[in-house]
């Protein structure tokens, strides 16, 4: 029990959820979980990355890149579904790792998720602020003062991003069921906009825009120094644009569009029937979004030549190119509304991981106390909400956004590894959902995730390594000595 690789059994984790002072309210259904998943996945990816990937990397074959990225996520989703139905406890990959690999690896992945969700929330809030300022300026003639428009717009403080996160914090304190209802409304708007693009866009498709469907391969301009992809520095391999390999280059980029389905797993403890509903929510949301992504990409690249697509607002600009300003405005409005749920669900995931680590004693236990009325981790939610609001208000996050991607892929690797280990160490556990073809599927998930990680710049790896090093210091300075599992050495306190 003194080892940093001591594991917390599934039974101990579940008993923790029964403590009245640290218990969350079970109010979510499979539908709520699917809505959460769709709400967080459909966002920046479908409204922005489609144009960048088509214009620079894969042309009309970007639709195939979405399929490839979706397969990588599906491999990870199968592993998440098994864990979430077997260990229905808040914390997602952190809790899964604690039950299978050990306390220190669990701490590392929890520390990683704290960074991933915090930066993801802030990045999306800043993107939402930019959409809203654009809509206010073009449609109402209102213009935010430069000083309050954020660093990315030449100002010093992003007031809109700051206020959005504070408002979302208040909603999450009141309860996950309320946030699920708000998410359902916003997701309905978002999906309506996406379906509008698909249906209306069908009438403006020109077959010539699909030729060639897979443009001839072009060598990418080689990066240099720390800006180069790690795979280039290690193997001397430089990715290509277009051609068959360009599809996989695009897949590495548009992987960002799928980030978020793993957030569904953080709500396992607040689900009425997690053994049945968690796999449905995780896999269902991923399937819905993949189908929508592929359909939108095929329509948009058929409406406008891939080489002319906008890198910032491809859907809206595609309708502008065929003289349909109404649809263009509706899409911009839908994007602005849709990003609200992305921020909210990322913030939800952040607070649940923090809550789980606090309940285990690896962070101060005061943050795992739930509200007497709403049964939400209100202290952790308020603390993190205020910090992230300040970060979003004052910081330009262009480079830090890459850390969100590497953090997610790292979590995928750990969860897939955990499935293999737990199958061997606890074959007796009841698994309502079983990942098929173990260990083949988890190994494929690990390999695919590592490949995408290697395509990220070396400087991103360095930043990630520094954050992980800080986390290890915090663990040995505080977490290890305050761990509930380490203190008892047995089941007494659990």
């Amino acid at each position: 029990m003194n080892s940093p690789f001591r594991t917390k059994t599934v039974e101990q984790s579940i008993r923790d959820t029964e403590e009245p002072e640290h218990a969350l309210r079970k109010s979510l259904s499979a539908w709520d979980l699917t809505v959460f998943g769709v709400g967080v996945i459909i966002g920046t990816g479908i409204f922005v990355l489609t144009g960048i990937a088509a214009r620079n990397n894969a042309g009309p074959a970007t639709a195939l890149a979405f399929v490839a990225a979706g397969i990588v996520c599906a491999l990870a989703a199968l592993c998440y579904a098994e864990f979430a139905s077997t260990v229905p406890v808040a914390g997602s990959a952190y809790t899964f790792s604690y039950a299978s690999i050990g306390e220190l690896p669990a701490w590392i992945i929890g520390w990683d998720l704290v960074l991933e969700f915090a930066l993801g929330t802030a990045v999306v809030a800043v993107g939402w602020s930019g959409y809203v300022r654009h809509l206010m300026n073009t449609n109402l003639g209102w213009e935010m003062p430069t000083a309050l428009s954020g660093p990315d717009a030449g100002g010093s403080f992003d007031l809109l991003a700051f206020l959005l996160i504070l408002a979302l914090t208040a909603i999450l304190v009141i309860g996950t069921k309320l946030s699920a209802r708000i998410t359902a409304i916003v997701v309905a708007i978002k999906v309506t906009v996406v379906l509008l693009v698909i249906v209306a866009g069908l009438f403006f498709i020109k077959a010539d825009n699909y030729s060639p469907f897979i443009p001839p391969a072009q060598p990418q301009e080689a990066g240099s120094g720390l800006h180069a992809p790690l795979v280039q520095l290690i193997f001397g391999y430089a990715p290509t644009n277009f051609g068959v390999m360009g599809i996989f280059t695009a897949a590495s980029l548009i992987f960002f569009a799928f980030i978020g389905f793993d957030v569904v797993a953080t709500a396992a403890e607040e689900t009425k029937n997690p053994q049945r509903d968690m796999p449905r929510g995780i896999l269902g949301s991923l399937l819905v979004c993949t189908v929508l992504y592929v359909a939108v990409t095929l329509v948009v690249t058929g409406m406008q030549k891939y080489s002319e697509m906008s890198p910032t607002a491809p859907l809206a600009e595609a309708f502008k190119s065929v003289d349909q300003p109404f649809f263009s405005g509706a899409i911009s409005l839908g994007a602005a509304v849709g990003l609200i749920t992305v921020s909210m669900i990322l913030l939800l995931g952040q607070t649940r991981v923090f809550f789980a680590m606090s309940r285990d004693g690896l962070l101060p236990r005061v943050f795992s106390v739930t509200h007497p009325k709403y049964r939400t981790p209100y202290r952790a939610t308020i603390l993190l909400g205020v910090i992230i609001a300040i970060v979003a208000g004052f910081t330009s996050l262009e480079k830090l956004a890459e850390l969100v991607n590497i953090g997610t892929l790292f979590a995928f690797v750990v969860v897939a590894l955990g499935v293999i280990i737990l199958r061997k160490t606890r074959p007796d556990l009841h698994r309502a959902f079983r990942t098929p073809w173990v260990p083949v599927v988890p190994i494929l998930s690990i390999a695919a995730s590592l490949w995408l990680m290697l395509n990220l710049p070396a400087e991103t790896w360095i930043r990630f390594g520094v954050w992980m090093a800080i986390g290890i210091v915090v663990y040995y300075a505080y977490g290890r000595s305050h761990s509930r599992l380490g203190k008892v050495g047995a089941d007494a306190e659990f």
Side-chain angles (χ1 to χ4, degrees):
M1 293 304 295
N2 289 325
S3 167
F5 293 93
R6 55 200 175 201
T7 58
K8 181 180 178 182
T9 67
V10 173
E11 292 79 6
Q12 289 171 336
S13 297
I14 294 175
R15 281 200 294 274
D16 271 358
T17 68
E18 299 169 356
E19 298 177 346
E21 193 179 23
H22 304 280
L24 299 172
R25 175 174 292 164
K26 296 182 180 295
S27 60
L28 301 178
S29 64
W31 171 256
D32 293 325
L33 295 173
T34 303
V35 168
F36 271 146
V38 174
V40 73
I41 297 172
I42 295 182
T44 306
I46 199 166
F47 292 117
V48 177
L49 294 180
T50 303
I52 298 174
R55 179 170 178 159
N56 300 333
N57 303 113
T62 299
L64 299 180
F66 272 114
V67 173
I71 290 173
V72 173
C73 290
L75 293 171
L78 290 169
C79 299
Y80 269 89
E82 174 169 325
F83 259 130
S85 61
T86 307
V87 193
V89 179
S92 184
Y94 159 75
T95 301
F96 307 156
S97 302
Y98 213 161
S100 57
I101 305 175
E103 184 174 274
L104 179 58
W107 165 267
I108 290 173
I109 196 64
W111 189 251
D112 162 57
L113 292 174
V114 166
L115 176 71
E116 173 197 339
F117 292 149
L119 292 182
T121 304
V123 167
V124 175
V126 171
W128 172 85
S129 174
Y131 265 109
V132 172
R133 290 197 309 272
H134 174 73
L135 286 170
M136 289 168 55
N137 187 24
T138 55
N139 296 308
L140 301 175
W142 299 347
E143 190 162 348
M144 286 284 292
T146 302
L148 299 177
S149 297
D152 291 323
S156 55
F157 183 73
D158 194 328
L159 179 63
L160 293 178
F162 176 81
L163 293 177
L164 173 67
I165 293 178
L166 290 185
L168 297 179
T169 299
I171 292 171
L172 290 177
V173 167
I174 294 173
T176 51
K177 192 62 180 179
L178 173 62
S179 61
R181 289 170 181 163
I182 294 173
T183 300
I185 295 170
V186 176
V187 167
I189 296 172
K190 227 175 357 182
V191 172
T192 299
V193 170
V194 172
L195 294 176
L196 180 68
V197 171
I198 296 170
V199 175
L202 287 173
F203 296 95
F204 302 100
I205 289 177
K206 297 178 181 178
D208 291 345
N209 290 332
Y210 289 130
S211 181
F213 189 76
I214 302 178
Q218 299 176 6
Q220 263 190 24
E221 184 178 343
S224 59
L226 297 180
H227 297 290
L230 193 63
V231 66
Q232 179 180 326
L233 298 180
I234 296 176
F235 302 109
Y237 164 76
T240 63
N241 289 327
F242 306 113
V244 174
M245 292 308 297
I247 296 173
F248 296 101
T249 303
S252 298
L253 169 67
I254 60 179
F255 175 79
F256 284 97
F258 289 94
I259 286 177
F261 79 85
D262 55 321
V263 179
V264 175
T266 67
E269 193 174 324
E270 296 160 273
T271 304
K272 296 174 184 177
N273 189 344
Q275 287 78 13
R276 181 195 67 189
D277 294 342
M278 288 305 301
R280 293 181 180 181
I282 293 172
L283 297 171
S285 59
L286 184 61
L287 176 62
V288 168
C289 292
T290 302
V291 171
L292 290 176
Y293 279 0
V294 171
V296 166
T297 304
L298 288 173
V299 168
V300 172
T301 53
M303 291 175 64
Q304 188 176 27
K305 192 68 176 178
Y306 70 88
S307 57
E308 300 172 1
M309 293 186 70
S310 167
T312 56
L315 275 61
E317 291 299 322
F319 278 96
K320 273 189 179 179
S321 70
V322 292
D323 297 321
Q324 296 295 321
F326 169 79
F327 292 114
S328 177
I331 291 167
S332 296
L333 179 60
V337 173
L339 291 178
I340 295 174
T341 57
V342 180
S343 281
M344 182 168 67
I345 300 168
L346 288 173
L347 183 58
L348 170 72
Q350 156 84 310
T351 58
R352 273 33 178 191
V353 173
F354 198 89
F355 165 79
M357 297 173 74
S358 171
R359 188 166 60 185
D360 289 332
L362 301 182
L363 290 170
R365 288 265 290 170
V366 67
F367 294 114
S368 64
V369 175
T370 55
H371 194 281
K373 178 180 178 182
Y374 303 123
R375 310 310 305 171
T376 57
Y378 68 107
R379 293 175 179 173
T381 302
I382 293 172
L383 171 70
L384 295 169
V386 171
I387 291 174
I388 297 171
I390 293 172
V391 170
F394 284 106
T395 310
S396 176
L397 300 170
E398 180 180 355
K399 289 294 182 183
L400 292 180
E402 292 176 341
L403 289 170
V404 179
N405 199 16
I406 195 171
T408 302
L409 289 165
F410 180 64
F412 287 2
V413 170
V414 173
V415 169
L417 182 62
V419 167
I420 298 173
I421 293 174
L422 201 62
R423 283 284 187 97
K424 289 186 175 296
T425 59
R426 292 297 307 275
D428 58 304
L429 282 176
H430 171 67
R431 293 168 169 84
F433 178 89
R434 297 176 67 89
T435 304
W437 304 308
V438 173
V440 176
V441 167
I443 289 173
L444 288 175
S445 178
I446 292 170
S449 299
L450 287 174
W451 174 251
L452 292 184
M453 291 173 74
L454 288 172
N455 280 277
L456 292 169
E459 60 184 347
T460 301
W461 281 81
I462 292 174
R463 293 190 184 101
F464 183 67
V466 170
W467 177 255
M468 290 293 104
I470 294 172
I472 292 175
V473 171
V474 173
Y475 171 74
Y476 279 101
Y478 180 88
R480 188 179 185 188
S481 60
H482 289 80
S483 166
R484 295 177 67 202
L485 187 62
K487 282 182 177 180
V488 296
D491 279 356
E493 190 179 334
F494 290 96

